[in-house]
Amino acid sequence: MIRAALFFSIFLSTLVAQAAPLRIGVSETVLSLPLYVAEEEGFFQKHGVSVEFMNCVGGNRCIKNMLNGQTDLSTATELPVVFSSFTRNDFAILTSFVSGSNDLKVVARTEAKINQPGQLRNKTLGYVKGSASQYVLDSVLVYNGIDPDTVKLKAITPETALMALANKEVDALCIWEPFASRIELELGAEVMLVPIPKLYTATFNLIAMQDVIKSKPKEIERIVRALKDSTQFIQMHPDKAKALAAKRLKIPVVLVDRIFDNYRFRLSLNRSLPRTMEGQARWAIREGHVPGNPHQPNFTGFFYPAFLKTVDPGAVSLQ
């Protein structure tokens, strides 16, 4: 029996080595930890699938790369999916694998004296266009009774966020981890976190092109199985997972430890996700973030739950 199992393992490894890898756009964030774990712990190999990570900064870029044919799958929060849904429908969310309500932070220059969200009024604020950063910043302003037209908005990138604050190009900005913690580490007392209400729970998702779903169903199912192993590993071995996140993201473990409990690592596709996306689509249309005269997308077709239903039936509750 042991000999047969060993033979099968070697046979499976040979097949994996011979198969062309599926290219996954992996956003450089703590949210991608299940993918890092799957690679580090050999879960992809265990399930007989070959993958290649294509790193990208931000889910909005990962989605763009996938739609341009540079990758087969992508990682992103649901908001880049919403923005892309106005122009095409040849991709779908396969599963969410982490959620969190405190991944995005508002970081301000200390001398701007923004101690609470209400003091963002009449300030210059940075945001990453087409990402959850844009949505969260707008939500914080509206929740605090601030007309977005009364602030000066400046588009930034994750890479330029730190310098935008250091050079006083913005008074504050909205950015996700680990960039927020990196800014705090680098600028120290020059910046401060603005306490914002938890108005938004981000889901981080695995997304695939429809043609890949049709042509590589077995491989994609194996990726989902590897992610299930990863999320369970993270729950059972949090310290090892934290060390891996710090290594991959090139940040101190102490920073990972500080934000780690903000995230819930588990596979899911639940009914709150399409409802959130519908609300985001209405926001994008209302605020003029989508050009032309767009119609509200029907998000039913932007989910492909079959793989998750096979791997973890209880994780699917879209109806």
Side-chain angles (χ1 to χ4, degrees):
M1 192 74 177
I2 295 175
R3 185 177 296 175
L6 181 60
F7 173 79
F8 180 75
S9 177
I10 294 172
F11 175 72
L12 200 59
S13 297
T14 302
L15 288 180
V16 171
Q18 291 175 347
L22 280 173
R23 302 162 300 168
I24 307 176
V26 180
S27 181
E28 296 178 358
T29 165
V30 179
L31 296 167
S32 292
L33 182 56
L35 285 155
Y36 298 147
V37 168
E39 183 180 58
E40 183 77 13
E41 296 298 319
F43 295 144
F44 292 127
Q45 186 175 19
K46 169 188 171 183
H47 290 289
V49 62
S50 177
V51 303
E52 179 183 0
F53 288 176
M54 309 287 285
N55 294 327
C56 41
V57 181
N60 55 330
R61 294 184 190 174
C62 290
I63 283 276
K64 182 178 180 180
N65 290 346
M66 183 185 71
L67 296 179
N68 288 340
Q70 296 172 255
T71 63
D72 304 300
L73 300 97
S74 170
T75 58
T77 62
E78 75 289 338
L79 192 64
V81 175
V82 170
F83 275 114
S84 299
S85 70
F86 285 100
T87 57
R88 54 196 297 177
N89 60 0
D90 55 348
F91 59 96
I93 294 175
L94 308 176
T95 183
S96 303
F97 52 87
V98 59
S99 61
S101 57
N102 197 30
D103 183 58
L104 284 114
K105 310 285 174 56
V106 174
V107 188
R109 292 189 298 107
T110 303
E111 65 178 27
K113 298 181 179 179
I114 306 173
N115 299 305
Q116 54 186 336
Q119 294 172 323
L120 292 168
R121 193 187 311 272
N122 301 321
K123 302 293 185 179
T124 300
L125 308 177
Y127 72 99
V128 181
K129 187 176 181 179
S131 74
S133 159
Q134 184 176 9
Y135 180 68
V136 169
L137 181 58
D138 194 85
S139 299
V140 169
L141 294 174
V142 172
Y143 181 82
N144 286 277
I146 302 173
D147 185 340
D149 290 337
T150 65
V151 301
K152 182 179 179 181
L153 295 174
K154 179 179 177 62
I156 59 168
T157 67
E159 297 93 335
T160 62
L162 188 151
M163 293 309 298
L165 285 167
N167 295 337
K168 302 182 181 181
E169 298 171 22
V170 297
D171 299 305
L173 53 80
C174 184
I175 196 69
W176 55 84
E177 295 289 1
F179 293 97
S181 290
R182 284 174 177 163
I183 290 170
E184 286 187 277
L185 182 67
E186 291 291 326
L187 298 184
E190 294 179 42
V191 296
M192 59 177 290
L193 286 182
V194 180
I196 60 174
K198 295 179 180 179
L199 303 173
Y200 164 66
T201 297
T203 60
F204 207 61
N205 312 286
L206 183 67
I207 306 139
M209 299 301 298
Q210 289 284 5
D211 61 346
V212 177
I213 292 172
K214 293 176 182 176
S215 63
K216 302 283 186 179
K218 292 181 180 179
E219 290 86 346
I220 293 179
E221 181 184 315
R222 291 166 184 166
I223 290 174
V224 175
R225 289 189 183 280
L227 288 178
K228 183 179 180 181
D229 285 353
S230 291
T231 55
Q232 292 174 339
F233 180 92
I234 293 168
Q235 294 165 18
M236 294 175 62
H237 306 283
D239 289 340
K240 194 170 182 179
K242 291 174 187 176
L244 178 59
K247 175 185 174 182
R248 289 296 182 100
L249 300 174
K250 298 180 175 60
I251 57 176
V253 174
V254 64
L255 291 187
V256 177
D257 189 61
R258 188 173 69 181
I259 64 177
F260 193 78
D261 289 341
N262 293 335
Y263 307 104
R264 186 180 183 188
F265 295 96
R266 67 179 182 89
L267 301 188
S268 68
L269 277 178
N270 58 59
R271 62 181 63 90
S272 65
L273 182 52
R275 292 175 183 173
T276 296
M277 294 168 70
E278 289 166 1
Q280 291 171 336
R282 289 192 293 271
W283 161 79
I285 294 171
R286 183 180 65 248
E287 299 302 321
H289 297 314
V290 184
N293 186 24
H295 297 285
Q296 174 89 9
N298 180 354
F299 289 107
T300 304
F302 286 91
F303 293 91
Y304 197 93
F307 302 118
L308 185 56
K309 282 183 178 179
T310 300
V311 173
D312 190 355
V316 180
S317 58
L318 286 172
Q319 302 301 321

